[in-house]
C-alpha cells in the first residue's frame, strides 16, 4: 500500500476527468475490489466492478491478486454464479451457527407486559393484569421468559404467596439499559415526546407517576421519588 | 419589560449603520433562531472578536436593539426572548452602575462572565457537532458487510423490540385511564362486608404478627384508588374482628405498619 | 499467549472433553476471528468471539494480529467501544455509491443535541437545555434513540434523580470512533473548562452513593428476611 502516493498525484481529478489520468496502481485496485466485494449485498461481476472503478482499472487482474491473498485465510474470494463474493472458509462454518436468526416483532400484548414488568418489578401476574386492564394470557409471560427477558422473582409475602416476575440481564442488554431503575418516568417520557399526545394529554394530571410510588411498600421506592415529599 | 431605547453614548461606540444592517438581516431570519442564546451567539459573531474577548455590554445593547426592532416590525417573539431581554437589561444596568457593597447575589461581572461562558460553550458544541458530522460515517464513507453470513443450519426466531417500543407501550398502558370518560365505578370500592368476609377465615391461623397490608386482595394493591379503599375496608374489618375478640392489633408508632395476630387466649 | 500450549502439555489427564485438546494455533485463531468479523454486520465483543471459539482460544491476541494484517487494505479491523468490526476503508467510499444508506436528514437541533450528549455524557435533559439555551423540542432525543446512537444512562444521583443520556456503540461505529474518549477536540474542550457546567453546579448536593442502594432495595426481599427469621 506504500504506493498510494503515486496515486495521489492523479487524485484531484480522478472522479470526474477519468480518462485523462493513469489508472491507479494494481495494489490500489486490489484494495478497491476488496472493499467492493465486502460491502456489496450481492455478488459482483467483473463488469460491475469495472464500472464503479476509475477509468483504466482492470478488476479481473486485481481480483486474481486478492484471491491469492485470501488463500488459506478465514474468508475466501469465491465465484458465485457470474459474480464474485467474499465467503467464510468452509471449515469455519461452525463458528457461524449462531449468526442465523430470523427477527420477528413482539406482539403488543407482550411488549406491554414486558414494559410493566420492567417498570414495576417485582410484580405479580394479578398486578400485571390490573395495570393492563386485561387478563394476561399465560402464554405472554411464558414467551417473555423463553426469550430470556423475564424470570421469576421471589414470591410475594402476601396471602397466597404469588410468584413475581422481574426482568433479566438479557433484557437490560437487549434494550441498552444499565438498570431497570434508569427507565424514564412518565413525566420524562412526556418531555421526551414519547407519549402519544392526545389533546387531553398535556393537561392530564401527573397522577400516574406519584402513584407508582404507592405500588411499592416503601414510598422512597417510587421511580420519581422526588414528588413524594 | 426591557429598557428599550438604545442609549445614546454606547450606541455611538459602534457603527450604527453596520449594526443596523446586521440587525435587519437577522430580523428577517428570526424564525431561524433556536432561542435567545442562539440569537446572542449570532450577534456576538458580528463583534468580530474572539468570544473570550466579547464585550457583554455591547452584546446586551445589540440584543436589546434587536428586540426593539423586532417589536417595531411587529414580529412575534417567543416569551423566552423577552425574558432574556429583561435579564440583559438588568445586567446592563448592573454593569453600568458601580457595584453595590451589600449585594449577596452574584456580581454583575460574574453574571456577564457566565453569559460569555455559555456562549463559548454553545459555540464549542456547534463546532463539535460539525466535526462529528464531517467524520467518515458509516453508510456513507465506511461500509458494513453487505452480505452478513447466514448459512443456515440452526434457524432461530429472534423476537425484537426497540426501547422506544417498550417506552411507548408503557406510556400507553399507564395513560389509558386518563382518557376514559368519567363514570362512577362501584366496582372500584371494596366494601367492609367484602373485606370482613375475606379476612374472617384467614385470621384463624394467624399465629404471627402480620402486616395488615399483606391482606389486601389480589388486584387491589396496584391501582392507588383501589388500594386506598381496600386498605380502609381491611382496617375496618380488622377492627370488627378485634371487637369480636378474635384478633389483636399492634402499631409501634404513628404511621407505622399495622400488624394483626390471632387472639390466642380466645 | 504462546505459552498456552505449555499449559496444555501438562494436561493430558485433565477433566473431560474440551480440555483434552490444546487450543488451535494462533494463526488458526486469527482465521476464526477473521471469519467471524467478516460474517457479522454488527461489532462483536471479545467475549462473544471467545464463546464461539474452541476452548482455550484467545481472540484478543488473534485480533491484534488480524488488525495489523489489514492495515492499509481495502477493509479495516476497527475497534468500536467494547466490540470489533470490519469496515471498508474510508477513502474508498466513492466506490460504494450503491451501498450508501440514505439517512434521514437530521435537524440542526438533533445534531447539536447529539454532540452535547457525546461530549457531556452522561447528561440530563435539563443540562442539554441549559447548554442550548432552549427547551429541547420533543422528539429530538427520541430520534437519536431510535437511530441507536443514544441510550439511557444511569439516573443522576441528584435531587429529582433525572434520567441521563449517553451515546451507544452504534454511535461510535457510525462516526468511526474507537471509544468516546476519542471524540475530536475532547481534551481541548475539557482543558478550556467548556465541558463543565457553571462553577456553582460543582457544589450541587450530590447524594451519597449509599443512598441509592437504599432506594433500590427490594421491599419484598426485606420482607422475606423478616419472615424467614
Amino acid at each position: 500500500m506504500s504506493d498510494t502516493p503515486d496515486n495521489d498525484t492523479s487524485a484531484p481529478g480522478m472522479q470526474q476527468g477519468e480518462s485523462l489520468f493513469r489508472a491507479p496502481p494494481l495494489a490500489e485496485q486490489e484494495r478497491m475490489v476488496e472493499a467492493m466485494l465486502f460491502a456489496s449485498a450481492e455478488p459482483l461481476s467483473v463488469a460491475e466492478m469495472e464500472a464503479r472503478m476509475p477509468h483504466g482499472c482492470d478488476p479481473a487482474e486485481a481480483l486474481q491478486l486478492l484471491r491469492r491473498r485470501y488463500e488459506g485465510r478465514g474468508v475466501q474470494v469465491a465465484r458465485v454464479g457470474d459474480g464474485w463474493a467474499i465467503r467464510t472458509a468452509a471449515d469455519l462454518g461452525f463458528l457461524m451457527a449462531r449468526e442465523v436468526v430470523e427477527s420477528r416483532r413482539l406482539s403488543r400484548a407482550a411488549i406491554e407486559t414486558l414494559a410493566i414488568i420492567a417498570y414495576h418489578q417485582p410484580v405479580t401476574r394479578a398486578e400485571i393484569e390490573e395495570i393492563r386492564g386485561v387478563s394476561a394470557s399465560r402464554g405472554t409471560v411464558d414467551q417473555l421468559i423463553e426469550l430470556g427477558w423475564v424470570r421469576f422473582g421471589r414470591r410475594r409475602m402476601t396471602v397466597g404467596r404469588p410468584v413475581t416476575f422481574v426482568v433479566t440481564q438479557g433484557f437490560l442488554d437487549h434494550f441498552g439499559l444499565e438498570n431497570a431503575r434508569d427507565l424514564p418516568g412518565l413525566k420524562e417520557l412526556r418531555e421526551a415526546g414519547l407519549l402519544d399526545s392526545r389533546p387531553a394529554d398535556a393537561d392530564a394530571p401527573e397522577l400516574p407517576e406519584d402513584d407508582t410510588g404507592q405500588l411499592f411498600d416503601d414510598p422512597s421506592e417510587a421511580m420519581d421519588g422526588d414528588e413524594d415529599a | 419589560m426591557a429598557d428599550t431605547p438604545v442609549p445614546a453614548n454606547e450606541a455611538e461606540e459602534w457603527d450604527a449603520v453596520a449594526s443596523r444592517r446586521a440587525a435587519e438581516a437577522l430580523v428577517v431570519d428570526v424564525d431561524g433562531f433556536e432561542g435567545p442564546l442562539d440569537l446572542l451567539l449570532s450577534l456576538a459573531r458580528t463583534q468580530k472578536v474572539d468570544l473570550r474577548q466579547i464585550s457583554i455590554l455591547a452584546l446586551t445593547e445589540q440584543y436589546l436593539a434587536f428586540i426593539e426592532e423586532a417589536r417595531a416590525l411587529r414580529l412575534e417573539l417567543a416569551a423566552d426572548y423577552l425574558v432574556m431581554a429583561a435579564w440583559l437589561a438588568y445586567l446592563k444596568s448592573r454593569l453600568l452602575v458601580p457595584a453595590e457593597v451589600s449585594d449577596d447575589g452574584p456580581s454583575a461581572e460574574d453574571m456577564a462572565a457566565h453569559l460569555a461562558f455559555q456562549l463559548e460553550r454553545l459555540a464549542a458544541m456547534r463546532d463539535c457537532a460539525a466535526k462529528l458530522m464531517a467524520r467518515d460515517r458509516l453508510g456513507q464513507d465506511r461500509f458494513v458487510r453487505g452480505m452478513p453470513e447466514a448459512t443456515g443450519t440452526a434457524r432461530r426466531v429472534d423476537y425484537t423490540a426497540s426501547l422506544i417500543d417498550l417506552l411507548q407501550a408503557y406510556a400507553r398502558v399507564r395513560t389509558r385511564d386518563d382518557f376514559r370518560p368519567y363514570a362512577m365505578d362501584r366496582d372500584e370500592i371494596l366494601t367492609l362486608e367484602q373485606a370482613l368476609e375475606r379476612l374472617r377465615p384467614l385470621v384463624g391461623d394467624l399465629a404471627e404478627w402480620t402486616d395488615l397490608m399483606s391482606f389486601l386482595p389480589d388486584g387491589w394493591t396496584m391501582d392507588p384508588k383501589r388500594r386506598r379503599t381496600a386498605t380502609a375496608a381491611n382496617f375496618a374489618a380488622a377492627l370488627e374482628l378485634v371487637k369480636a375478640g378474635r384478633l389483636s392489633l399492634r402499631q409501634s408508632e404513628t404511621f407505622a405498619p399495622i400488624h394483626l395476630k390471632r387472639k390466642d387466649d380466645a
Side-chain angles (χ1 to χ4, degrees), chain A, chain B:
Chain A
M1 277 343 86
S2 44
D3 32 23
T4 328
D6 290 353
N7 195 16
D8 281 350
T9 46
S10 63
M14 248 170 72
Q15 276 92 328
Q16 316 120 317
E18 316 172 325
S19 43
L20 289 175
F21 299 94
R22 247 188 307 171
L26 197 54
E28 189 61 19
Q29 296 185 35
E30 190 194 328
R31 287 182 77 225
M32 294 179 185
V33 170
E34 185 177 40
M36 284 187 289
L37 290 185
F38 175 84
S40 173
E42 274 142 38
L44 289 175
S45 69
V46 170
E48 284 169 315
M49 288 188 266
E50 193 173 356
R52 294 203 209 173
M53 292 165 76
H55 189 74
C57 283
D58 182 0
E61 192 169 355
L63 194 65
Q64 290 320 311
L65 281 181
L66 190 70
R67 205 178 180 189
R68 232 167 293 140
R69 187 188 288 275
Y70 276 97
E71 255 163 37
R73 306 291 320 153
V75 292
Q76 317 263 274
V77 177
R79 170 144 219 144
V80 182
D82 293 341
W84 295 87
I86 297 180
R87 286 288 158 86
T88 306
D91 64 316
L92 297 179
F94 71 96
L95 293 166
M96 302 308 128
R98 277 171 228 204
E99 211 53 29
V100 196
V101 280
E102 182 188 325
S103 294
R104 234 176 258 173
R105 285 186 84 74
L106 271 190
S107 69
R108 179 173 162 145
I111 187 94
E112 285 184 9
T113 304
L114 181 62
I116 291 169
I117 296 173
Y119 273 89
H120 295 281
Q121 63 171 351
V123 64
T124 68
R125 180 181 301 276
E127 288 161 346
I128 296 170
E129 292 178 353
E130 192 184 331
I131 295 171
R132 278 197 73 215
V134 224
S135 55
S137 77
R138 191 158 288 279
T140 309
V141 178
D142 289 348
Q143 186 193 11
L144 296 172
I145 291 175
E146 221 168 294
L147 280 172
W149 287 348
V150 166
R151 62 177 178 80
F152 292 104
R154 286 168 176 277
R155 284 184 181 272
R156 181 67 54 79
M157 289 305 124
T158 52
V159 179
R161 299 185 152 250
V163 293
T164 63
F165 301 100
V166 296
V167 292
T168 62
Q169 185 61 42
F171 166 89
L172 297 176
D173 292 345
H174 182 95
F175 290 97
L177 296 164
E178 299 197 14
N179 190 307
R181 305 284 173 190
D182 296 329
L183 283 165
L186 278 192
K187 186 160 156 250
E188 287 161 322
L189 287 177
R190 191 171 288 132
E191 284 165 356
L194 288 170
L195 237 157
D196 306 334
S197 37
R198 294 179 241 184
D201 186 33
D203 319 305
E206 299 279 297
L207 265 182
E209 286 153 281
D210 284 5
D211 289 339
T212 47
Q214 300 277 5
L215 302 178
F216 300 94
D217 300 50
D218 174 357
S220 65
E221 268 286 313
M223 306 243 169
D224 302 280
D226 48 316
E227 312 212 19
D228 280 301
Chain B
M1 226 171 210
D3 65 337
T4 38
V6 179
N9 38 354
E10 275 87 26
E12 313 297 344
E13 287 179 24
W14 30 296
D15 184 348
V17 180
S19 70
R20 204 186 142 75
R21 202 176 282 153
E24 270 165 9
L26 292 166
V27 166
V28 179
D29 265 341
V30 72
D31 283 341
F33 287 106
E34 300 209 13
L37 208 55
D38 184 27
L39 170 55
L40 272 169
L41 188 56
S42 301
L43 291 170
R45 300 242 198 248
T46 65
Q47 287 192 16
K48 302 223 164 82
V49 292
D50 189 301
L51 274 178
R52 297 198 165 214
Q53 269 114 55
I54 195 96
S55 157
I56 291 295
L57 195 55
L59 183 62
T60 302
E61 304 283 4
Q62 285 173 284
Y63 186 89
L64 295 176
F66 173 86
I67 296 296
E68 243 346 88
E69 194 129 5
R71 275 184 175 162
L73 291 170
R74 296 176 180 280
L75 283 173
E76 204 147 317
L77 286 172
D80 46 352
Y81 288 87
L82 301 177
V83 171
M84 177 63 91
W87 186 81
L88 287 175
Y90 168 69
L91 174 60
K92 190 182 112 187
S93 68
R94 292 273 312 266
L95 285 171
L96 291 177
V97 173
E100 282 164 47
V101 218
S102 63
D103 250 324
D104 272 352
S107 70
E109 282 68 30
D110 288 347
M111 289 161 67
H114 184 62
L115 180 59
F117 167 74
Q118 280 180 296
L119 292 174
E120 203 188 340
R121 186 174 59 179
L122 180 60
M125 281 301 112
R126 297 251 160 102
D127 286 350
C128 289
K131 273 186 216 150
L132 210 50
M133 289 299 148
R135 289 186 67 83
D136 292 324
R137 292 167 61 183
L138 201 65
Q140 275 155 39
D141 311 287
R142 293 152 45 250
F143 293 84
V144 305
R145 182 72 197 272
M147 280 179 277
E149 214 103 348
T151 52
T153 39
R155 170 149 279 163
R156 190 186 84 204
V157 179
D158 189 9
Y159 285 90
T160 59
S162 74
L163 182 59
I164 298 289
D165 295 336
L166 185 82
L167 300 177
Q168 282 174 341
Y170 185 68
R172 193 165 62 226
V173 168
R174 294 298 290 174
T175 55
R176 204 173 273 151
D177 291 344
D178 296 356
F179 308 111
R180 222 175 40 156
Y182 179 76
M184 187 61 139
D185 273 334
R186 296 302 296 175
D187 59 288
E188 288 297 289
I189 293 175
L190 189 73
T191 63
L192 170 60
E193 289 73 26
Q194 287 170 305
L196 200 51
E197 198 178 319
R198 230 185 125 265
L199 206 52
R200 193 176 282 131
L202 293 175
V203 296
D205 357 296
L206 207 58
E208 301 294 331
W209 288 109
T210 309
D211 191 338
L212 173 71
M213 297 308 281
S214 65
F215 289 94
L216 299 194
D218 260 0
W220 290 82
T221 55
M222 298 299 277
D223 177 42
K225 261 191 268 155
R226 302 190 70 163
R227 182 180 166 102
R228 216 171 291 134
T229 167
T231 307
N234 261 13
F235 180 58
L239 290 178
E240 285 290 326
L241 291 168
V242 170
K243 204 165 87 183
R246 298 197 47 204
L247 199 64
S248 301
L249 281 189
R250 185 184 79 175
Q251 187 180 32
S252 54
E253 57 180 322
T254 320
F255 300 123
I258 296 171
H259 288 96
L260 325 176
K261 193 164 86 96
R262 175 181 71 196
K263 187 143 192 175
D264 287 322
D265 50 3

